[in-house]
Amino acid sequence: MTDHPHEHGTDEVPHTHPDPGVDPHTPLSGGPRALRIGIGGPVGSGKTALVAALCRSLGDELRLAVVTNDIYTTEDADFLLRNGVLPAERIRAVETGCCPHTAIRDDISANLDAVEDLEDALGPLDLVLVESGGDNLTATFSKGLIDRQIFVVDVAGGDKVPRKGGPGVTAADLLVINKTDLAPLVGADLTVMDRDARARRGDLPTAFLSLVEDRAATPVADWIRALVKDRAATPA
Amino acid sequence: MSLATLLVLADGRLPAGGHAHSGGFEAAVSAGRVRDLAGLDGFLRGRLHTSGVVAAAFTAAACAAGLEAGSPQPPDPRALLHPTDLHAGSPQPTAPRPIDPRPTAPRPADPWDVFRRRIAELDDGMDARTPSPALRRASRAQGRALLRAGRAMWPVPAAGREPHHPVALGVVAAAAGLDPLAAATAAAHGTVTGPASAAVRLLGLDPYTVQGLIAALAPECDRIAAASAGTANDPVDELPADGAPLLDIGAEHHASWEVRLFAS
Amino acid sequence: MRAAARIVAEADRSGVTRLAVLRGESPLLLRRTGPRDTTSATVHLVGGAAGPLRGDDLLLEIEVGPGAHLEIRSVAATLLLPGRPAPPSLLTVRATVAGSLRWLPEPAIAAAGCDHHASTAVEVADGGSLLWRDDLVCGRHDEPSGSVRSDVTIRYAGRTLYRHRLTVGPDAPGWSGAAVLGNARATGSAVLAGPGLPVPHLPAEGAAVMALAGPGVLATATGADIREVQAALDPFCAAMPAPV
């Protein structure tokens, strides 16, 4: 793993993990199992594209696997396969019985089994990304399933999305505002989104992202790198 | 026996993976075999009197085996070891046993060894009654998920990594201090609530009328559970084996789909 | 009516299958058919009277020795009839197989009002092979089905491979619901056990060929009529020819 790079970023694009002083979650402990990061957000916000970008950025430096919860069993996994970012054996799809939020929040058993099966099949892993099925602004991951969660919204959903709040926007460990390249086309004001996100989220970080301009999803990848590094330094 | 404990185990919100399984209903809808409430009624009735009867009987039998071995007392630490293969034999103590030259009387059978043997037989019995590989996978996935949930609540003895769901349900029920009748009631009830809930999601049926169907089947669940309690100690080959051809066929077709909403 | 029949097939030193015992009584009458002095023998159930009536108790015992190959067929469908008020008609078939047995009778037809229990127990030794086919038509044309309960236990090498009960008719709640037979009025199954099993596949919308947990494969089919079932199962059975 590389050291945490500090050369990139602007003021509105945080590149460090959250300050432990304001982190509402228990500290990450080290240990044999992988760091689990949930990636949620509304339909079409770019979750799968972000996962693909993270696989491209991190796949060579971290032992990683993906669990996908799309309501359609194979579509998300196929997207990752088609894009050649991860071999098939590193991807598991979980069926959610028309209830994507149930599978990541209320009854996480199928996802836990998928994570365990990946670790059993592949040996020790550094990172498992758990991608939720597209849902709405109220979906969040259970802490029984993941260690940290990223919530992805996009500017095309309207610049009022951060102001609306909801548990995903307010409590996610990292809020990603995606498709910033589209902002001028859809009339979304990024400064409004940034201001509203800060108002909703306090000190929790928000990252602005355009996968068209940054195929490596650098701010998000860096945020994950820092978590993995911190966790490796923490005794189990 | 605690009725409230039975409610905990039979709660539809128990995080044991059930929400992602339609009990064959998604396949039946897709094949055009069910379109409406009457179709759901026939589906539930048939499922209850085939899979439900088998599940209840095997749940009761596994529960009886657990109680016989000592559940709900915390199991012998050896019984908590977690052999991934039920047929691998009992885990051996690691400390070498001192050699004793005196002749020894035959040791009474370790009750947890007896338990493991019976559980393995019941698991094989479920295999023999579940010709569809897709349904065996679904049953084992739900068994594994139920053990996970059960271990968080009660001292559940080792029962393999992925036992069939009725076997897991019986073992967990015994660990919860429930008797075979209660365990079988939960099993029978669960075979109708799963697909009924899927029907509400898949067909948009009125949830009140669907709940009415479930309530109407409750007396039949009770009768099936009572019969199951009566056969809890029977040899496995003699336990009920009621099958449903379309559940098997539908499950195999469902597993071949490119996209599906439910795991089974 | 009580009746018993027994077939014992044995291979002689030259590999020819001989029928050491072939004994039946009405309505379980047996006839050896096909060529003699070959590695396999064929026996037809010819049916001495009308099919089983309530109160009948029929027993067929089959034994296939090591190296012997036996095929059992029937000359016509078995019509299960109501008869007088009486206990259910019973048909018990017990088979032990060290060589190979192919059980390929014509369908049973459950006439309205019949009450029939069929009970099958087959014990196949390790290395033996079995093809066990059972077809059922629920009612004659445009008539409701009678009651039929069919219980099958197939054991292979000392372990239970397949255990199945199918119950149809007025005493079977939900049997015509979408979980069990739905609108189908015919169903059939063929269990194949032993070495050289076919690959599972999906021959038709209402049919599946599936791998059992043990060394066996089940082909099962449902259809609006028996022709649909035969269309799905006959090729499966034909693909497993008797040795000659």
Side-chain angles (χ1 to χ4, degrees):
Chain A
M1 212 180 80
T2 59
D3 282 336
H4 180 63
H6 283 262
E7 68 274 18
H8 68 279
T10 59
D11 281 349
E12 76 275 20
V13 180
H15 55 277
T16 60
H17 59 282
D19 176 352
V22 298
D23 183 2
H25 306 315
T26 50
L28 294 172
S29 67
R33 77 160 175 79
L35 176 73
R36 299 173 188 167
I37 293 187
I39 299 179
V43 177
S45 58
K47 296 182 296 297
T48 305
L50 175 59
V51 168
L54 292 173
C55 291
R56 273 193 299 267
S57 311
L58 301 171
D60 291 338
E61 59 191 277
L62 298 176
R63 297 167 296 182
L64 81 88
V66 171
V67 177
T68 171
N69 278 256
D70 200 319
I71 56 164
Y72 289 115
T73 308
T74 52
E75 281 196 356
D76 277 0
D78 284 350
F79 178 88
L80 298 180
L81 291 175
R82 267 200 315 276
N83 285 272
V85 292
L86 214 56
E89 70 270 14
R90 292 190 171 266
I91 304 168
R92 292 282 162 115
V94 167
E95 291 95 347
T96 62
C98 307
C99 295
H101 57 270
T102 302
I104 60 163
R105 187 185 61 201
D106 310 276
D107 184 350
I108 56 179
S109 50
N111 273 294
L112 288 175
D113 286 345
V115 172
E116 278 181 9
D117 287 347
L118 283 165
E119 290 184 319
D120 285 353
L122 301 169
L125 297 172
D126 301 309
L127 175 65
V128 177
L129 300 175
V130 182
E131 183 197 346
S132 80
D135 205 322
N136 55 38
L137 293 172
T138 65
T140 51
F141 284 85
S142 162
K143 296 184 185 75
L145 174 60
I146 50 88
D147 300 303
R148 292 290 186 269
Q149 55 188 310
I150 299 171
F151 198 75
V152 184
V153 298
D154 71 332
V155 301
D159 57 17
K160 65 188 180 305
V161 166
R163 189 160 62 244
K164 277 176 154 177
V169 167
T170 56
D173 300 287
L174 176 66
L175 176 67
V176 172
I177 295 175
N178 197 14
K179 307 185 191 175
T180 52
D181 51 296
L182 297 183
L185 303 176
V186 298
D189 186 336
L190 294 182
T191 56
V192 167
M193 295 183 90
D194 186 34
R195 188 193 64 212
D196 290 344
R198 286 173 192 276
R200 286 281 172 199
R201 294 174 51 74
D203 291 332
L204 288 171
T206 300
F208 286 81
L209 190 66
S210 164
L211 291 172
V212 176
E213 294 157 11
D214 176 7
R215 276 172 46 85
T218 311
V220 182
D222 284 349
W223 183 78
I224 291 174
R225 284 188 185 99
L227 287 176
V228 172
K229 188 183 172 197
D230 273 12
R231 187 162 178 273
T234 312
Chain B
M1 195 201 75
S2 158
L3 278 177
T5 301
L6 174 59
L7 293 179
V8 171
L9 182 62
D11 189 339
R13 286 165 300 184
L14 187 73
H19 75 99
H21 293 267
S22 78
F25 196 76
E26 186 178 25
V29 168
S30 163
R33 292 193 278 269
V34 182
R35 293 190 172 84
D36 53 16
L37 196 73
L40 173 63
D41 186 33
F43 182 93
L44 295 180
R45 225 165 264 281
R47 181 168 155 83
L48 176 60
H49 285 273
T50 54
S51 309
V53 167
V54 171
F58 277 73
T59 300
C63 180
L67 295 178
E68 182 67 29
S71 281
Q73 293 303 312
D76 178 333
R78 282 177 19 147
L80 281 174
L81 294 179
H82 218 274
T84 52
D85 179 3
L86 277 174
H87 304 288
S90 62
Q92 294 302 315
T94 46
R97 198 177 293 155
I99 296 163
D100 184 347
R102 289 169 300 176
T104 51
R107 271 191 317 141
D110 177 346
W112 290 107
D113 277 345
V114 175
F115 167 80
R116 267 188 294 274
R117 265 200 303 280
R118 174 72 168 167
I119 291 299
E121 286 172 11
L122 290 168
D123 201 65
D124 288 347
M126 283 304 303
D127 262 355
R129 284 160 179 76
T130 317
S132 153
L135 288 184
R136 291 196 296 275
R137 285 194 299 273
S139 173
R140 292 188 178 284
Q142 291 178 87
R144 175 182 176 183
L146 180 62
L147 286 185
R148 183 197 293 283
R151 280 196 298 268
M153 299 185 282
W154 302 295
V156 176
R161 183 171 189 261
E162 275 195 330
H164 277 285
H165 182 258
V167 174
L169 182 54
V171 169
V172 170
L178 297 170
D179 61 23
L181 176 66
T185 308
H189 178 65
T191 57
V192 294
T193 53
S197 161
V200 170
R201 282 175 267 167
L202 284 169
L203 292 180
L205 296 178
D206 176 352
Y208 300 104
T209 46
V210 169
Q211 208 61 28
L213 295 183
I214 295 173
L217 288 171
E220 289 178 58
C221 291
D222 284 334
R223 278 194 291 277
I224 288 167
S228 302
T231 58
N233 295 306
D234 284 7
V236 172
D237 271 356
E238 290 170 26
L239 291 175
D242 299 84
L246 285 176
L247 287 183
D248 294 333
I249 293 165
E252 289 303 295
H253 283 264
H254 184 263
S256 76
W257 294 356
E258 183 70 17
V259 294
R260 55 184 170 266
L261 300 174
F262 287 82
S264 74
Chain C
M1 182 185 295
R2 292 176 70 89
R6 181 169 167 79
I7 309 170
V8 177
E10 293 171 351
D12 69 14
R13 279 184 198 161
S14 61
V16 170
T17 295
R18 309 260 177 225
L19 296 182
V21 177
L22 184 68
R23 190 175 65 227
E25 54 189 342
S26 181
L28 282 177
L29 293 175
L30 306 169
R31 291 286 179 269
R32 178 159 193 180
T33 53
R36 305 295 169 106
D37 299 326
T38 58
T39 53
S40 74
T42 303
V43 169
H44 271 79
L45 286 153
V46 294
L53 302 171
R54 284 185 193 235
D56 285 357
D57 186 354
L58 312 176
L59 171 67
L60 173 61
E61 291 180 305
I62 304 161
E63 201 179 313
V64 183
H69 304 285
L70 177 64
E71 177 166 313
I72 301 178
R73 293 180 168 272
S74 60
V75 295
T78 304
L79 186 60
L80 309 167
L81 292 164
R84 64 193 190 286
S89 53
L90 305 177
L91 171 63
T92 305
V93 183
R94 289 192 211 119
T96 57
V97 181
S100 83
L101 172 64
R102 293 157 53 81
W103 169 263
L104 294 164
E106 295 299 307
I109 301 170
C114 79
D115 190 4
H116 181 69
H117 290 186
S119 171
T120 297
V122 186
E123 184 85 45
V124 187
D126 197 8
S129 75
L130 176 75
L131 174 58
W132 193 273
R133 168 88 175 258
D134 272 317
D135 288 1
L136 175 67
V137 180
C138 305
R140 288 170 292 193
H141 186 63
D142 275 347
E143 103 181 331
S145 182
S147 293
V148 174
R149 192 180 86 192
S150 169
D151 244 298
V152 179
T153 306
I154 294 173
R155 291 170 54 82
Y156 192 90
R159 292 171 72 106
T160 304
L161 172 69
Y162 179 65
R163 182 78 185 82
H164 182 78
R165 169 182 286 187
L166 178 65
T167 315
V168 305
D171 301 331
W175 76 276
S176 59
V180 186
L181 290 184
N183 292 323
R185 283 300 165 266
T187 182
S189 63
V191 176
L192 196 62
L197 295 169
V199 177
H201 60 281
L202 301 170
E205 175 67 33
V209 176
M210 43 201 137
L212 301 175
V217 166
L218 168 73
T220 189
T222 59
D225 56 37
I226 193 64
R227 283 186 299 275
E228 286 185 22
V229 170
Q230 288 166 337
L233 296 187
D234 286 358
F236 173 80
C237 294
M240 306 306 297
V244 275

